[in-house]
Amino acid sequence: MTLAIEKEISKVGTETVKVNGFYLHSKYNPLREAEQIAKQEYKPHHLHIVFGYGLGYIVDALIKEFHFNEPILLIDPLMDHNYIDVFNPTYNRFYSAKANDIAKIIDMVDKLSTYSTNVHIITSINYDKLFPLELKNVLEIVKNNHYKQGSNIATAKHFAVAWQKNLLLNTNNILSDFTLGKLEKEYTAPVVIAAGGPSLTKQLSLLKEYRNKIILICAGSTINALIANNIMPDYIVSVDGGEPNARHFESLSFKKEVSLIYGPTNHYKVRDSFEGKGYAFIPSVKPKYKDYFENRFSKKLPLIHGGGSVAHYALSIAKYITTGPIALIGQDLALTNDQSHATGVKCNKSAKDLPTSKKVLVEGYYGEMVTTTQTLKIMMNSFNEPPLLDTERKNVWNCTEGGAKIHSIDQLPFGEFLEKFTNEEAPKIVGEVLDQSTHIEEEFFNTEINNYNKILKLLKEGSQVINNSIGLKLTSYEVNKIGKIEKELNNLYKKYSLETLLEPIFDRCSHEYLPKVNETSVESNLRAKNYALDLYTSCYQQIEYFIEQLMSKENKTI
């Protein structure tokens, strides 16, 4: 695209600019126009994405409007070819990205749009006419991120109790098992990752034929499809903490030749199906778990990147354990042949059973348009985004031969991959037989319950201090008392790793009790008291409910 850029002097003497005949600022009074736009567009506690810099008037005016150190992300196609100069303001939360750097934009939006930060897009004057395709890309990125963030919030809330329970009941397993670090770069053999998409079925005959020449990693529930075809993997990766995941494994039993690779919040019953020692890791989204196991138990576990599905973790694990070539099969991420999964996978559904509103079209493996769901689309995008996006590793191929196209991974027919990279038997590192009970020890279980009760006592004390406070503002004595309680609580939360259980409450309270613009001291004091009371009361109820679930006859496992 050829761009003709002309600078002019406005009616009030301030410089303005015109691109291909379109003014990017007022030709009368650019500064006043920018101030009006900034006042109208500013939204407290939002990430502001400004599409179009021009001469910077709107960005400068917007920053002056900020009250709460909000982040601002500038994207301008004119930056791509150095048509304009961006004068980075001294504002400490100013970020910029070129419009053609999609990976950076995705990464920046993901990092800056936290649970408590909404996103507001401001399209500068005439940029929608000059760069409609680039604007469309930005809007799509923000839309996908909004859906992903919403899904993350809902998932964290829904699984808070289950994940915390799995962490507790997996602790003895993890202490008895190997760390995944034991397998770091131990293989040079080719690794095949079998996911449960519909296209897996057509690859099974080749998988059988070359089985002894590869290391086979199975992604979670795919195991039932493999077993139905008499194929046994070397490793099964499992990260899902829900009951449905446990049901995939409830009737299965594996000798030491098949090893489980899992994270702390994986459903604790899955471990019972494995005779041999497993390998434990920490999902990179839960770095505090790494500190928990290192500080409390001196157990060092590696951080592994994921992206919302077990297949993402499986890919990261494959890269972690081998320097050899890696193939993905069954990674459809689409409703191939009107099915959600391969034959034999227990959660397989017909596309006809899914509402039309949940279906979207994406580019397919062969360049055609294929039908998928919004959830699968997010999983597909995760392969193309940091941290899974890997431009350095050149020996990873998508050999699914169907489904959606993963743009960041080269494609190769599965038969060609096997013929090219397999020439001898791939030796498997066989683990040891587990010589301890995989159930948590009763002494440790009871100790944790006592620790949780200590936290409940502190939360109750904090609530009583606030409830007994007479004025709108806490006295210095009450503030000091709350401060001591808060310090002790934070130490206990960290020591006993309760972040998963309480994270939804922390996020909700931080979002609901944000300060208002021009807030009075009375409003500020009342907000602070309501925030603290809500936080303590909600945390108390959540932990109390968690203890009840642990102590119930149905759930207690010792």
Side-chain angles (χ1 to χ4, degrees):
M1 180 181 183
T2 303
L3 297 175
I5 300 177
E6 306 170 65
K7 289 187 177 180
E8 298 180 0
I9 301 300
S10 70
K11 297 295 183 182
V12 297
T14 308
E15 196 174 47
T16 188
V17 65
K18 187 167 59 175
V19 176
N20 286 8
F22 292 99
Y23 281 97
L24 305 186
H25 303 288
S26 169
K27 58 183 178 181
Y28 298 101
N29 194 332
L31 292 178
R32 186 173 66 184
E33 175 193 61
E35 290 171 358
Q36 291 171 343
I37 292 173
K39 289 183 184 297
Q40 180 180 343
E41 296 289 348
Y42 169 59
K43 293 185 179 298
H45 307 293
H46 280 60
L47 160 64
H48 293 76
I49 299 178
V50 179
F51 184 79
Y53 183 74
L55 297 178
Y57 299 136
I58 293 175
V59 168
D60 292 342
L62 190 62
I63 290 173
K64 291 178 182 177
E65 287 294 319
F66 287 170
H67 284 74
F68 305 107
N69 198 36
E70 292 93 344
I72 181 170
L73 173 61
L74 169 66
I75 302 168
D76 192 329
L78 292 173
M79 293 162 51
D80 293 1
H81 303 288
N82 299 316
Y83 279 110
I84 62 169
D85 293 321
V86 176
F87 299 97
N88 293 341
T90 55
Y91 186 66
N92 68 335
R93 301 199 73 191
F94 172 81
Y95 307 91
S96 64
K98 294 182 177 181
N100 61 6
D101 194 345
I102 300 299
K104 183 176 180 180
I105 296 173
I106 291 171
D107 189 38
M108 294 299 295
V109 172
D110 192 51
K111 288 178 178 177
L112 296 174
S113 59
T114 61
Y115 282 169
S116 58
T117 304
N118 294 314
V119 179
H120 180 53
I121 301 177
I122 302 169
T123 304
S124 293
I125 298 167
N126 286 324
Y127 268 80
D128 56 333
K129 298 181 181 68
L130 288 165
F131 307 105
L133 293 179
E134 290 86 346
L135 177 58
K136 181 181 177 182
N137 288 337
V138 172
L139 293 173
E140 183 70 13
I141 289 169
V142 173
K143 178 183 175 182
N144 290 339
N145 182 268
H146 177 76
Y147 191 94
K148 182 173 74 172
Q149 293 281 7
S151 177
N152 289 341
I153 293 170
T155 301
K157 182 177 180 180
H158 179 75
F159 285 103
V161 172
W163 285 346
Q164 192 70 42
K165 178 176 146 188
N166 289 329
L167 172 64
L168 174 63
L169 298 178
N170 269 326
T171 296
N172 195 62
N173 296 333
I174 292 173
L175 298 181
S176 302
D177 281 330
F178 295 119
T179 167
L180 183 61
K182 189 177 178 68
L183 295 180
E184 184 177 11
K185 292 184 174 59
E186 283 296 314
Y187 289 105
T188 57
V191 171
V192 175
I193 302 168
S199 295
L200 174 67
T201 304
K202 65 184 178 185
Q203 311 288 25
L204 292 175
S205 59
L206 281 172
L207 197 59
K208 279 185 179 181
E209 181 181 347
Y210 286 84
R211 176 63 192 90
N212 293 331
K213 295 182 178 182
I214 61 169
I215 299 300
L216 179 58
I217 295 178
C218 170
S221 60
T222 308
I223 186 58
N224 289 287
L226 295 181
I227 288 177
N229 289 275
N230 297 314
I231 299 173
M232 198 64 69
D234 297 301
Y235 300 100
I236 300 175
V237 179
S238 184
V239 296
D240 193 342
E243 286 289 341
N245 188 39
R247 288 195 287 272
H248 289 309
F249 291 88
E250 62 186 358
S251 60
L252 303 179
S253 180
F254 301 99
K255 300 298 183 183
K256 69 175 183 178
E257 286 74 19
V258 180
S259 301
L260 175 66
I261 301 177
Y262 67 108
T265 57
N266 183 58
H267 199 288
Y268 67 95
K269 289 183 180 178
V270 172
R271 186 64 187 82
D272 295 342
S273 296
F274 294 80
E275 176 186 284
K277 281 194 172 185
Y279 297 86
F281 68 92
I282 303 295
S284 61
V285 293
K286 298 289 185 184
K288 291 180 180 178
Y289 285 166
K290 180 177 174 65
D291 297 335
Y292 170 70
F293 281 101
E294 285 188 17
N295 295 335
R296 194 166 179 204
F297 305 108
S298 299
K299 185 85 172 186
K300 293 186 177 182
L301 304 172
L303 287 172
I304 299 295
H305 294 306
S309 81
V310 64
H312 297 123
Y313 285 102
L315 175 57
S316 293
I317 289 167
K319 292 177 181 178
Y320 186 82
I321 68 174
T322 188
T323 57
I326 298 169
L328 302 176
I329 60 174
Q331 195 55 255
D332 289 68
L333 300 163
L335 303 173
T336 308
N337 300 324
D338 289 330
Q339 298 294 310
S340 65
H341 293 81
T343 303
V345 178
K346 288 186 177 181
C347 52
N348 184 29
K349 294 180 181 178
S350 170
K352 298 176 183 177
D353 298 331
L354 298 172
T356 304
S357 61
K358 291 189 175 182
K359 298 176 185 177
V360 293
L361 292 175
V362 296
E363 184 181 358
Y365 189 93
Y366 297 105
E368 79 286 29
M369 299 304 291
V370 297
T371 302
T372 187
T373 66
Q374 189 64 50
T375 300
L376 290 174
K377 183 180 177 182
I378 289 176
M379 294 179 183
M380 177 193 73
N381 288 336
S382 292
F383 283 107
N384 303 318
E385 302 170 4
L388 286 176
L389 179 65
D390 188 349
T391 57
E392 296 182 3
R393 186 82 179 237
K394 303 296 185 182
N395 59 348
V396 179
W397 287 271
N398 182 7
C399 304
T400 298
E401 298 181 76
K405 183 181 183 67
I406 303 174
H407 291 272
S408 59
I409 302 178
D410 291 336
Q411 297 177 177
L412 185 69
F414 190 41
E416 289 186 27
F417 174 89
L418 294 170
E419 290 178 7
K420 184 175 182 179
F421 297 111
T422 62
N423 50 30
E424 58 184 20
E425 186 171 334
K428 158 76 189 295
I429 299 170
V430 179
E432 305 169 11
V433 175
L434 192 66
D435 57 2
Q436 299 183 37
S437 167
T438 59
H439 294 313
I440 197 160
E441 296 175 356
E442 184 172 4
E443 181 181 352
F444 178 76
F445 183 93
N446 291 332
T447 298
E448 294 303 277
I449 297 297
N450 290 334
N451 293 327
Y452 299 151
N453 281 317
K454 291 178 185 177
I455 295 173
L456 287 180
K457 183 180 178 181
L458 287 169
L459 289 169
K460 190 173 183 178
E461 287 179 11
S463 298
Q464 288 173 342
V465 171
I466 298 169
N467 279 323
N468 294 335
S469 178
I470 298 174
L472 291 175
K473 183 179 180 180
L474 295 175
T475 66
S476 58
Y477 170 78
E478 291 166 339
V479 170
N480 289 334
K481 193 165 185 179
I482 288 292
K484 291 178 181 178
I485 291 172
E486 193 72 18
K487 183 178 180 180
E488 194 168 351
L489 279 173
N490 288 333
N491 288 334
L492 291 174
Y493 289 155
K494 182 179 180 180
K495 184 174 182 179
Y496 303 118
S497 194
L498 286 173
E499 288 87 358
T500 294
L501 183 65
L502 303 179
E503 181 183 27
I505 296 171
F506 295 153
D507 291 327
R508 177 185 62 78
C509 288
S510 65
H511 183 73
E512 289 184 4
Y513 295 95
L514 292 169
K516 297 188 298 184
V517 175
N518 299 323
E519 185 177 69
T520 66
S521 59
V522 172
E523 290 173 328
S524 177
N525 292 331
L526 184 60
R527 176 176 55 81
K529 286 184 67 174
N530 289 338
Y531 166 80
L533 184 60
D534 188 353
L535 183 66
Y536 290 158
T537 302
S538 298
C539 288
Y540 185 97
Q541 292 171 349
Q542 181 81 323
I543 296 174
E544 187 177 49
Y545 176 73
F546 177 59
I547 293 174
E548 290 174 358
Q549 293 297 299
L550 286 175
M551 298 302 292
S552 66
K553 179 179 277 189
E554 178 183 353
N555 290 319
K556 188 176 178 183
T557 305
I558 298 177

